[in-house]
């Protein structure tokens, strides 16, 4: 069941095309006051717009067996393979929908890592918002471990608490996770 | 305009430019006589083409140029004025060429003045008169012998990679189109897509060429490495190379760089002996390392040969025993070929003590791993005292991989074809092939045991212990280095060329996947890395144990037999049914191929037929869906001599040559003899007899009289190839003969002595134990057996072989394998007997 806010958000939801067009223009300006917002479950999250290459609607995901639960799989972005992060799992946000609902259509926020692209798999994409640096409040201190690492500010906007996050700690987190799993696996089998 | 003429204009314009450049250089500096040769050969080529295209004016001019050049070449006098005249000739020719381009034929014109000047120059050359003055101002040109420079340009490799990537995308998009349009021959887009297909394929081929670099990029470094090595160790070595112009993809070149240098270092350090030792061994003091590079069927072969001490197999043997890799008893029987394997063992190569084995030691394991990573292989041949040859086989490019797609727990994966040697299907008929030791499942494959890997459980997928209960599934027999193992999967789908994409640094770290690919429908699938799987299950130890079991069980005769089969190359026709899997049938069984219009096919009761010449050709669809779609129906016509039938297939692809090494493991589908790896592709080989019977359900009634007669004839079929026996036996049985099999001469004699006295023996020549010739001689010598008819059926085609066979006592000598011919020969021999 979707909440009233979700429905409102869905009505107002800009098309991915709009965002993509805007983000290209904005990236050129490299305005670091602008954020692309999205929802993971109920959580309203923003990432700096210059980190985002584009936003995609639902994609066919190829699962990667034996990887971390933080990885939803890989997708084909115009011939390039992009690793998809399961944001629910990564940010420890419980799915509102029944667990394992494979029919659910997620959206993909494509972010640029140092050498490759990653996709944040999110429930819905919101507006691009402008927030001045000084009006960002520091995050609370009692957050979960990975939140402490990645969240660098919060802001109240349209009756929503927006958490601004940095992609890099998340990428590192997943990388370490896979490395640990691999090592564990090798020790177990030997 | 004729295409040929167009081509001529393009190439000749280029050649004229080159001629002009060379002539200008020659005009400035008449001493550069070596240019004359080049100019001569170019002019000669142009003249030849002109003659072919009947361009008289041009031919005449170039004829004169050629004679003049010939004179200059044979008796260089260094006259620059001749070069000037020739330049005028070239300019004149260019004008004619322009006219040709505009009008499509040679323009009218008068060349007499030019020809006269050329003749004059000719006589001047002939008189050896030197007249070096020239009234023309000389254009100053930079010496530029290689016009190549002007025709090539530098491009950033990154740009090139991007272009190639895009082309890869284009290919996939093209595939998507082709897949969608496949069954729709009326589509308005058909011709556009066909054009797209053509252009894309060409574009792909051409763009891949841009990344090719010649192997000399590596080889050029070798002289200094060898010089350094020689200095350090006081050795003398010469380097010989051939094929340095062989081109390989840049990525491949990078990948083989280190392993290749390693091999060379090994040859210097361990291969070539010190000068004194060499002289003592009656070899020249100076050692030789020869490098060879050449193409071989989609691969590049690199050979490094040294004339050094070779591998000391005794020490390898001792080391292997010490390391418990082989039992002392087995070691005594092991061939050099088997011992070489141990050099690639990781423990073997890194150990200090072994590095002083006179042959190869250190790091061969690393070399092997690196080469295998890019889908290549390494072979070592060595003769003690004479030298060692290392043969490296590498793919032309890494971007495109031939892969087998399969599914496990509902998900599709790909695996490189090069790492799969065989496919086995397991169902209720051959479940007994499976066994287990503790928790490890084992497949009994012919005479060996293979450990099995449960892919769904290794990958931690949902259905972990799935194959315990699954009724039928497939086993991919994979190999990593010398380790062979089976991977259990749900189903095998297809073999295809795929474009390999990096799957991202995170996914790569997992270790099971070497990349990903995008299928024609846009789906992404992962490429399984067999080495990664092997790592995980730590099979190395397990499989060694099993190998030991092999050694104990292995029948050495069986091995020789395998080798004999190995040598038999056959031509196969590759076709597809509606499921798109490549199917094959031996070309020798096919009467011909036809393409007929759909309307001509008539239904007849439950079957189909075609009015064909003056008779009726019954048609059998290869599978239910082969009939749909195409307005043109490809048909393979089989004939058994008396009757013929057409097999309707979806598409006929290709004729390939390959070794038939069939795995007729039970549980195969009707109409299929088994699966064989042909040119690295797993293909089903179909059974013609099955389809013949479908076309003629009343087969036996029609042939009753003949068959009745044949029933009285007993035939013994002797052939070392199990496949071949299975192929021929049913054929003979269908026409009524009573047939028994034997795998070699010895077994045949045993059979005859026990209870089976045949009227006729069909025998192969090359067989283990007692070969065909020996068998024939024995039979001819025995008074009781002398009247048995003997037919030799062999792949040896030489006249000498034939003579030998006839001398040994064979009545007929047939080359494998024409069914009609064989039945004819049998009939002839038997009827003969009846008459007598």
């Amino acid at each position: 069941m979707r909440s009233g806010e979700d429905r409102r958000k869905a009505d107002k939801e800009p098309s991915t095309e709009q965002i993509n067009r805007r983000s290209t223009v904005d990236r050129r300006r490299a305005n670091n006051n602008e954020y692309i917002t999205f929802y993971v479950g109920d959580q309203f999250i923003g990432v700096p717009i210059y980190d985002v290459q584009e936003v995609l609607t639902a994609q066919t995901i190829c699962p990667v067996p034996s990887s971390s639960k933080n990885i939803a799989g890989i997708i084909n972005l115009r011939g390039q393979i992009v690793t998809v992060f399961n944001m629910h799992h990564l940010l420890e946000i419980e799915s509102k929908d029944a667990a394992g609902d494979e029919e659910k259509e997620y959206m993909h926020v494509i972010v640029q890592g140092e050498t490759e692209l990653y996709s944040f798999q999110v429930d819905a994409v919101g507006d691009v918002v402008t927030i001045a640096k000084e009006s960002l409040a520091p995050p609370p201190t009692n957050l979960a471990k990975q939140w402490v690492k990645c969240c660098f500010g919060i802001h109240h906007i349209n009756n929503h608490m927006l958490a601004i996050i940095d992609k890099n700690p998340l990428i590192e987190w997943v990388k370490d996770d896979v490395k640990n799993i691999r090592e564990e696996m090798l020790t177990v089998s030997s | 305009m004729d295409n040929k003429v167009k081509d001529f204009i393009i190439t000749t314009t280029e050649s004229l430019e080159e001629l002009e450049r060379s002539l200008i250089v020659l005009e400035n500096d008449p001493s550069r006589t070596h240019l004359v040769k080049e100019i001569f050969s170019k002019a000669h080529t142009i003249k030849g083409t002109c003659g072919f295209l009947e361009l008289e004016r041009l031919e005449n001019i170039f004829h004169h140029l050629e004679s003049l050049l010939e004179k200059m070449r044979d008796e260089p006098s260094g006259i620059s004025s001749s070069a000037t005249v020739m330049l005028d000739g070239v300019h004149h020719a260019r004008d004619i060429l322009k006219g040709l381009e505009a009008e499509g034929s040679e323009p009218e014109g008068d060349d007499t003045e030019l020809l006269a000047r050329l003749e004059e120059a000719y006589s001047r050359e002939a008189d050896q008169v030197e007249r070096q003055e020239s009234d023309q101002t000389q254009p100053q040109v930079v010496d530029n012998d290689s016009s190549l420079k002007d025709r090539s340009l530098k491009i950033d490799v990154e740009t090139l990679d991007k272009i190639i990537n895009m082309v890869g995308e284009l290919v996939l998009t093209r595939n998507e189109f082709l897949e969608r349009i496949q069954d729709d021959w009326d589509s308005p887009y058909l011709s556009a897509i066909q054009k797209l297909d053509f252009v894309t394929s060409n574009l792909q081929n051409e763009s891949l060429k841009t990344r090719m670099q010649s192997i000399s990029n590596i080889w050029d470094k070798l002289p200094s490495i060898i010089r350094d090595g020689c200095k350090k160790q006081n050795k003398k070595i010469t380097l010989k190379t051939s094929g340095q112009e062989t081109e390989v993809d840049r990525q491949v070149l990078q990948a083989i760089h280190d392993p290749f240098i390693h091999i060379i270092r090994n040859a210097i350090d361990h291969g070539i002996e010190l000068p004194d030792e060499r002289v003592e061994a009656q070899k020249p003091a100076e050692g030789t390392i020869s490098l060879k590079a050449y193409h071989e069927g989609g691969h590049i072969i690199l050979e490094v040969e040294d004339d050094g001490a070779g591998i000391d197999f005794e020490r390898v043997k001792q080391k292997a025993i010490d390391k418990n890799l082989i039992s002392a008893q087995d070691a005594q029987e092991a061939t050099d070929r088997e011992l070489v394997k141990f050099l690639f063992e990781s423990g073997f190569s890194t150990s200090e003590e072994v590095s002083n084995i006179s042959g190869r030691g250190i790091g061969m394991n690393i070399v092997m791993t690196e080469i295998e990573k890019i889908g290549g292989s390494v072979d070592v041949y060595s003769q003690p005292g004479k030298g060692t040859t290392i043969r490296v086989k590498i793919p032309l490019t890494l971007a495109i991989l031939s892969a087998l797609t399969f599914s496990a727990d509902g998900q599709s994966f790909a695996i490189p074809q090069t790492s799969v040697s065989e496919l086995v299907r397991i169902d209720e008929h051959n479940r007994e092939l499976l066994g287990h030791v503790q928790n490890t499942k084992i497949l009994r494959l012919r005479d060996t045991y293979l450990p099995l890997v449960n892919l769904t459980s290794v990958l931690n997928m949902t259905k972990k212990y799935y194959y315990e209960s699954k009724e039928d599934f497939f086993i991919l027999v994979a190999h990593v280095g010398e380790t062979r193992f089976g991977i259990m999967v749900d189903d095998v789908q297809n073999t295809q060329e795929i474009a390999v994409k990096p799957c991202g640094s995170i996914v790569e770290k997992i270790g099971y996947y070497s990349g990903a690919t995008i299928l024609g429908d846009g789906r992404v699938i992962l490429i399984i890395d067999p080495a990664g799987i092997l790592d995980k299950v730590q099979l190395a130890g397990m499989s060694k144990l099993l190998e030991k079991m092999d050694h104990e069980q292995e029948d050495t005769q069986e091995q020789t037999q395998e080798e004999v089969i190995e040598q038999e190359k056959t031509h196969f026709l590759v076709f597809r049914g509606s499921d798109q899997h490549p199917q094959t049938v031996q070309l020798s069984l096919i009467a011909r191929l036809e393409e007929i219009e759909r309307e001509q096919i008539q239904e007849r009761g439950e079957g189909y037929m075609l009015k064909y010449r003056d008779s009726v050709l019954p048609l059998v669809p290869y599978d239910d869906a082969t009939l749909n779609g195409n307005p043109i129906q490809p048909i393979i016509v089989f004939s058994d001599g008396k009757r013929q039938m057409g097999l309707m297939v979806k598409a006929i692809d290709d004729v390939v040559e390959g070794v038939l090494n069939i795995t007729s493991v039970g549980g195969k589908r009707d109409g299929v003899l088994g699966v064989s790896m042909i040119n690295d592709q797993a293909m089903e080989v179909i059974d013609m007899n099955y389809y013949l019977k479908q076309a003629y359900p009343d087969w036996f009634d029609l042939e009753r009289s003949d068959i009745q007669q044949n029933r009285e004839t007993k035939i013994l079929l002797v052939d070392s190839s199990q496949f071949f026996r299975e192929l021929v036996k049913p054929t003979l049985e269908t026409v009524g003969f009573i047939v028994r099999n034997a795998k070699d001469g010895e077994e045949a004699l045993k059979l005859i002595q026990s209870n089976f006295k045949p009227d006729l023996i069909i025998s192969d020549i090359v067989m283990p134990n007692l070969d065909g010739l020996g068998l024939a001689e024995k039979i001819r010598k025995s008074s009781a057996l002398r009247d048995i008819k003997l037919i030799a059926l062999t792949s040896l085609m030489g006249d000498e072989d034939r003579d030998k066979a006839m001398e040994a006592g064979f009545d007929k000598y047939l080359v494998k394998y024409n069914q009609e011919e064989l039945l004819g020969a049998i009939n002839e021999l038997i009827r003969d007997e009846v008459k007598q």
Side-chain angles (χ1 to χ4, degrees), chain B residues 551-690:
Chain B
H551 280 297
E552 281 156 21
Q553 303 241 350
E554 212 166 334
D555 181 359
T556 40
Q557 293 171 6
E558 282 294 320
Q559 221 185 1
T560 10
Q561 180 182 328
E562 297 261 305
E563 275 160 23
V564 173
I565 301 170
E566 285 278 308
Q567 291 158 2
E568 291 170 7
K569 278 209 167 187
T570 326
H571 282 94
F572 297 91
L573 181 82
V574 183
F575 68 94
R576 273 173 293 145
S578 55
D579 55 3
Q580 299 295 337
H581 289 206
Q583 311 283 334
T584 53
V585 62
Q586 298 95 304
L587 203 58
S588 53
L589 301 178
I590 298 169
R592 65 195 167 269
L593 305 173
E594 297 279 352
E595 282 193 332
I596 50 164
E597 283 171 31
R598 190 68 193 80
E599 292 97 64
Q600 287 179 271
I601 300 176
Q602 296 167 20
E603 284 195 39
R604 179 197 62 179
E606 287 178 7
Y608 301 90
M609 53 170 243
L610 169 72
K611 275 226 170 98
Y612 189 72
R613 295 185 189 159
D614 287 333
S615 61
V616 171
L617 182 72
L619 298 179
V620 177
Y622 173 70
D623 53 27
D624 295 340
T626 15
L627 269 172
N628 308 332
N630 316 10
I632 298 290
Q633 176 70 55
I635 288 179
I636 303 172
V637 181
F638 292 114
S639 168
D640 74 324
K642 285 193 176 155
R643 253 171 284 270
Q644 42 182 252
M645 59 136 321
L647 183 65
M648 295 188 276
V649 300
K650 180 98 179 175
I652 294 170
D653 284 350
D654 202 1
V655 172
V656 296
E657 194 187 34
V659 175
L660 190 66
N661 197 354
I662 209 144
T663 53
S664 51
V665 184
K668 64 202 179 193
R669 189 153 59 77
D670 282 347
V672 172
L673 284 170
V675 175
S676 174
M677 292 299 295
I678 296 167
N679 291 348
D680 293 342
Q681 275 219 24
M683 296 198 219
E684 279 184 338
V685 182
I686 66 157
D687 178 5
M688 181 197 82
N689 290 316
Y690 172 82

Side-chain angles (χ1 to χ4, degrees), chain B residues 159-383:
Chain B
T159 315
L160 215 51
D161 282 348
K162 270 187 204 152
I163 293 174
I164 286 165
N165 261 336
M166 304 284 228
V167 171
E169 282 322 299
L170 189 62
V171 169
L172 294 172
T173 316
R174 187 261 328 251
N175 291 352
E176 215 174 318
F177 268 125
L178 288 179
E179 217 157 88
R180 283 193 195 162
I181 205 137
Q182 201 173 37
D183 293 320
D184 185 6
W185 290 76
D186 304 324
S187 165
Y189 305 116
L190 186 65
S191 82
I193 289 174
Q194 279 170 345
K195 262 181 251 163
L196 177 73
D197 181 22
F198 175 76
V199 173
T200 312
S201 307
N202 282 340
L203 186 61
Q204 186 184 20
N205 284 338
E206 292 303 316
S207 62
L208 283 177
K209 273 190 214 157
T210 60
R211 275 216 305 211
M212 301 304 248
Q213 281 183 321
S214 93
I215 198 91
S216 59
N217 275 310
I218 297 183
W219 288 10
D220 288 348
K221 297 180 187 165
L222 299 180
S224 72
I225 291 176
I226 289 180
R227 202 181 323 112
D228 291 353
C230 287
K231 238 185 227 166
K232 261 184 219 154
Q233 313 199 18
N234 291 320
K235 288 180 182 174
K236 282 183 192 165
I237 301 172
T238 37
L239 180 69
K240 281 187 191 161
T241 58
S242 80
Q244 58 266 46
E245 70 286 347
T246 311
E247 291 193 318
V248 205
D249 188 292
R250 195 175 57 86
Q251 269 179 299
V252 178
L253 205 64
Q254 275 173 354
I256 60 162
H257 179 273
D258 291 349
F260 191 76
I261 299 285
H262 197 108
I263 291 175
I264 299 291
R265 289 230 163 92
N266 262 345
I268 303 168
D269 294 353
H270 309 296
I272 305 286
E273 318 89 321
L274 291 167
D276 302 348
E277 292 171 25
R278 291 185 61 87
V279 172
E280 212 165 287
Q282 295 183 335
K283 290 198 261 191
E286 194 164 324
T288 309
I289 295 178
S290 340
L291 306 178
K292 247 188 250 167
Y294 53 94
H295 286 259
E296 193 185 271
H299 284 85
I300 300 276
I301 310 288
L302 298 177
E303 272 179 19
V304 180
E305 192 184 342
D306 68 55
D307 64 346
I311 293 169
D312 183 345
F313 285 106
E314 281 311 309
R315 296 195 63 163
V316 175
K317 218 178 263 180
Q318 195 50 49
K319 203 71 215 170
I321 296 167
D322 292 351
K323 285 196 160 285
N324 269 334
L325 295 171
I326 189 169
S327 73
Q329 194 191 345
D330 286 342
Q332 289 317 311
E333 289 164 17
T335 63
D336 293 353
R337 195 89 202 83
E338 287 165 321
L339 290 171
V340 162
K341 274 203 291 198
F342 294 116
L343 296 179
F344 294 110
E345 293 285 339
S346 62
F348 221 88
S349 43
T350 47
S351 152
E352 271 307 328
E353 306 147 69
V354 192
S355 64
N356 52 18
I357 283 190
S358 56
R360 309 299 129 120
I362 321 168
M364 277 313 276
N365 172 259
I366 300 164
V367 169
M368 183 79 144
T369 324
E370 290 293 312
I371 301 282
E372 276 190 349
K373 221 187 258 169
I374 58 164
S377 60
V378 186
D379 278 316
V380 179
Y381 309 89
S382 182
Q383 273 184 298

